[in-house]
Amino acid sequence: MPSCAVTRRVHFNAAHRLHNPAESDEWNRATFGPCNNPNYHGHNYELEVTVEGPIDTATGYVLDIAILKRLVDARVSEVLDHRNLNLDVAWFRDRIPSAENIAVFCWEAIAPALPAGRLQRIRLWETPRNYVEYTGG
Ligand code: NI
């Protein structure tokens, strides 16, 4: 049975501040630079969700991409889009909302809900030049 990887790409924007409350203000400024600015800043995130699995002979799909779209919309976009990640999203109350941690959030939101295939990769673009990848574990 041939396997294939399918990717859904979505956009959201959100505000955040990189700040570790266990460290001093000086440490935070030195570590995070302008990303530590007290009044937050925003990014236009591009998220790529890749699901890998065998091609179902009945449908020719790994999974119906419309199902993947609905799942990503409900579990990621509706939770993160137009939000302040530090203040509005409970998952980040005790985690720094770096691109790395946002990628882990997306993985945990999507992986258990997939009806077919397995989540292979979360790729999150924070700027057009910077992205992070998370593959679980
Ligand atoms: Ni930032």
Side-chain angles (χ1 to χ4, degrees), residues 6-8 47-51 68 72 110 119 121-122:
V6 300
T7 298
R8 170 78 184 166
L47 172 67
E48 296 172 18
V49 178
T50 299
V51 177
L68 181 60
V72 175
I110 294 164
L119 190 54
R121 185 184 67 207
I122 295 289

Side-chain angles (χ1 to χ4, degrees), residues 14-18 34-36 41-43 45 97-99 126-127:
H16 73 169
R17 179 194 188 201
L18 303 185
C35 288
N36 182 243
H41 63 278
H43 292 282
Y45 292 97
S98 59
E126 192 168 64
T127 76

Side-chain angles (χ1 to χ4, degrees), residues 17-28 32 36 86 92-97:
R17 179 194 188 201
L18 303 185
H19 181 80
N20 183 342
E23 299 288 348
S24 68
D25 287 349
E26 186 184 28
W27 183 93
N28 274 286
F32 297 124
N36 182 243
N86 301 73
F92 291 106
R93 244 170 235 151
D94 56 358
R95 295 175 183 90
I96 296 168

Side-chain angles (χ1 to χ4, degrees), residues 43-118:
H43 292 282
N44 291 310
Y45 292 97
E46 292 287 336
L47 172 67
E48 296 172 18
V49 178
T50 299
V51 177
E52 184 268 338
I55 300 172
D56 186 315
T57 49
T59 59
Y61 293 160
V62 173
L63 85 168
D64 185 340
I65 201 101
I67 292 173
L68 181 60
K69 173 194 184 299
R70 283 198 294 275
L71 203 152
V72 175
D73 287 352
R75 291 178 163 252
V76 173
S77 304
E78 287 175 21
V79 180
L80 303 185
D81 190 33
H82 284 69
R83 297 290 156 77
N84 180 314
L85 301 179
N86 301 73
L87 301 181
D88 299 335
V89 182
W91 197 86
F92 291 106
R93 244 170 235 151
D94 56 358
R95 295 175 183 90
I96 296 168
S98 59
E100 291 89 333
N101 278 334
I102 299 169
V104 174
F105 169 88
C106 294
W107 180 282
E108 292 186 2
I110 294 164
L114 287 174
R118 65 167 194 93

